[in-house]
């Protein structure tokens, strides 16, 4: 199959087209509803809180309610390893992106490039395109993200040593709790107390089999994740003027590095590591990592910079512009990933 046939097959995939159109149209719906003032200024924050406090934790735990096998365990471990490797690598590589800048501007752009909105922006897209398996790998990948965000990111942007409060935020929040509980159940389900269901044995914590009355509400909450997140993104975009951000050359430079260069580096390295067998990953695992890396500025990282009064205007402009660029580029990344899949690279 040549490249033209691969592209035609990819663009003609109804499921892929449906997922891409869903994300774009729901974001545009959020934009429209805010512009028409059907959504008020508080709507974006409320939707975001529901997504972060309820929908994503439900989605994360639900993703681990599957039988463990050698392939998924291997992919999960390799995704975790790659998460720590890539964040350490990006801390150094990001310095090369901004050699023409100096002082706090250079420092802020470097840190914002390392950390994307993987939780709020990335996981809903991964869930929509790659289902529970993708969310599982995304949740594992995010462990390294949170470790570096609340340690390196916090210290670098604020100049303050990591506090007890940020140490708590690193691990004590609904998403991380749900992720670690899910990982524990998934990995040790064969050793936990067992319950007989239709002649088969399952760990008592596999609520998809042992407590469907509890699992089904979680399924409904998990399904809220993508549409609510996309509505919130559209609502947020409608509240801010693009004019100032578009006029900032530094924000354009940053957005291209964050949304295009960073995922490109990831995909090239992951192809090399998989082909050589050094750190092999499945297509879904690789696609998950690329989507997580193609996200715009992390809200928490931006908040660190703004609260420390460190290039607040540049941070705000970069956050807004990178969000717009990511919304535009995400479907392109999905198509590129599907082309790679059809080319049997992974």
């Amino acid at each position: 199959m040549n490249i033209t046939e691969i592209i035609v097959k990819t663009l003609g995939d109804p499921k892929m087209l449906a997922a891409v159109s869903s994300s774009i149209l729901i974001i545009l719906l959020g934009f429209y509803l805010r512009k028409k003032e059907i959504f008020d200024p508080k709507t974006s924050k409320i939707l975001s809180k529901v997504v972060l406090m309820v929908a994503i934790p439900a989605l994360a735990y639900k993703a681990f309610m599957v039988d463990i096998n050698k392939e998924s365990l291997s992919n999960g471990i390799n995704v975790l390893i790659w998460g720590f490797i890539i964040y350490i690598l990006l801390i150094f590589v990001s310095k090369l992106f901004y050699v023409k800048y100096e002082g706090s501007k250079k420092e802020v752009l470097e840190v914002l490039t390392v950390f994307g909105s993987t939780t709020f922006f990335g996981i809903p897209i991964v869930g929509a395109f790659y289902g529970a398996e993708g969310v599982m790998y995304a949740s594992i990948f995010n462990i390294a993200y949170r470790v570096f965000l609340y340690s390196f990111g916090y210290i670098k942007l604020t100049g303050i040593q990591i506090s007890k409060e940020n140490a708590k935020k690193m691990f004590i929040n609904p998403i991380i709790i749900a992720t670690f509980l899910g990982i524990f159940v998934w990995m040790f389900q064969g050793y936990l107390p067992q319950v007989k269901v239709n002649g088969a044995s399952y760990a008592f914590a596999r609520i998809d089999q042992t407590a469907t009355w509890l699992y089904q509400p979680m399924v409904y909450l998990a399904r809220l994740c993508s549409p609510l997140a996309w509505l919130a993104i559209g609502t947020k975009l409608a509240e801010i003027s693009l004019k100032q951000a578009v006029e900032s050359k530094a924000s354009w430079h940053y957005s291209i590095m964050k949304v295009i260069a960073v995922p490109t580096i990831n995909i090239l390295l992951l192809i090399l590591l998989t082909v050589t067998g050094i750190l092999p990953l499945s297509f879904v695992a690789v696609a998950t990592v690329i989507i997580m890396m193609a996200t715009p500025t992390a809200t928490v990282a931006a908040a660190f910079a703004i609260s420390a009064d460190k290039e607040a205007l540049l941070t705000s402009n970069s956050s807004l512009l990178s969000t717009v660029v990511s919304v535009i580029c995400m479907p392109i990344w999905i198509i590129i990933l599907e082309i790679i899949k059809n080319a049997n690279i992974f």
Side-chain angles (χ1 to χ4, degrees):
M1 187 181 289
N2 58 43
I3 189 68
T4 303
E5 291 173 331
I6 292 172
I7 293 172
V8 170
K9 181 180 177 182
T10 300
L11 295 177
D13 185 343
K15 289 184 180 179
M16 192 275 294
L17 290 175
V20 170
S21 64
S22 296
S23 60
I24 294 173
L25 290 175
I26 295 175
I27 288 171
L28 290 175
L29 176 61
F31 183 90
Y32 172 81
L33 292 174
R34 181 66 190 98
K35 283 293 185 183
K36 291 295 182 180
E37 297 188 347
I38 297 170
F39 283 172
D40 64 29
K42 295 180 180 178
T43 301
S44 180
K45 288 184 178 180
I46 293 170
L47 291 174
S48 299
K49 282 185 179 180
V50 174
V51 170
L52 293 172
M53 300 298 290
V54 179
I56 290 181
L59 187 68
Y61 188 78
K62 173 182 169 293
F64 291 99
M65 296 295 100
V66 292
D67 294 336
I68 192 169
N69 58 56
K70 186 177 179 181
E71 183 182 357
S72 61
L73 179 61
S74 175
N75 274 293
I77 292 171
N78 288 348
V79 165
L80 180 64
I81 293 170
W82 180 246
F84 281 94
I85 291 173
I86 191 59
Y87 280 111
I88 293 171
L89 189 62
L90 285 177
I91 287 170
F92 294 100
V93 171
S94 63
K95 295 180 182 298
L96 303 177
F97 292 161
Y98 306 105
V99 289
K100 69 177 184 179
Y101 297 97
E102 296 179 349
S104 61
K105 181 178 286 189
K106 183 176 188 294
E107 195 171 67
V108 167
L109 289 173
E110 287 174 2
V111 177
L112 294 183
T113 300
V114 175
F115 302 107
S117 183
T118 57
T119 303
F120 182 75
F121 200 100
I123 289 179
I125 294 175
V126 169
F129 282 89
Y130 303 110
E133 184 182 2
V135 173
M136 181 173 68
Y137 295 142
S139 300
I140 294 171
F141 183 77
N142 251 4
I143 293 172
Y145 164 81
R146 289 190 176 276
V147 168
F148 285 103
L149 175 62
Y150 287 105
S151 55
F152 170 79
Y154 179 76
I155 293 169
K156 197 75 173 173
L157 289 174
T158 64
I160 303 170
Q161 292 300 310
I162 189 166
S163 64
K164 187 177 180 180
E165 182 182 350
N166 274 292
K168 285 173 107 177
K169 286 181 181 178
M170 194 186 300
F171 295 110
I172 309 299
N173 67 68
I175 297 171
I176 285 294
I177 291 171
T179 297
F180 278 117
L181 280 175
I183 290 174
F184 179 81
V185 172
W186 177 62
M187 290 189 68
F188 298 103
Q189 56 187 291
Y191 304 95
L192 295 172
Q194 302 291 299
V195 175
K196 286 279 187 180
V197 180
N198 296 325
S201 294
Y202 296 94
F204 76 96
R206 278 286 305 274
I207 60 173
D208 60 316
Q209 300 293 335
T210 63
T212 52
W213 59 271
L214 184 59
Y215 178 71
Q216 196 57 46
M218 187 174 289
V219 171
Y220 288 129
L221 290 173
R223 287 174 182 168
L224 293 174
C225 184
S226 296
L228 290 187
W230 294 335
L231 282 173
I233 291 167
T235 304
K236 181 182 176 183
L237 290 176
E239 292 175 346
I240 310 172
S241 172
L242 268 172
K243 186 175 183 296
Q244 193 175 44
V246 169
E247 291 174 350
S248 171
K249 290 182 180 179
S251 296
W252 274 109
H253 184 183
Y254 162 78
S255 297
I256 291 169
M257 293 300 103
K258 179 70 193 74
V259 179
I260 299 175
V262 168
T264 299
I265 290 170
N266 270 265
I267 205 164
L268 292 175
L269 289 175
L270 289 174
I271 287 173
L272 177 63
L273 292 173
T274 298
V275 169
T276 57
I278 296 173
L279 197 73
L281 291 172
S282 67
F283 168 75
V284 173
V286 170
T288 297
V289 171
I290 301 309
I291 289 174
M292 301 285 269
M293 289 282 101
T295 53
T297 310
T299 305
V300 174
F304 285 160
I306 292 169
S307 63
D309 198 23
K310 208 166 191 178
E311 300 294 338
L313 181 59
L314 174 61
T315 298
S316 298
N317 288 338
S318 297
S319 179
L320 171 60
L321 193 58
S322 66
T323 300
V324 175
V325 173
S326 186
V327 169
I328 294 169
C329 289
M330 195 60 75
I332 298 172
W333 276 117
I334 298 294
I335 291 169
I336 291 172
L337 288 166
E338 289 299 313
I339 291 171
I340 290 172
K341 177 184 178 182
N342 288 319
N344 295 318
I345 294 176
F346 292 99

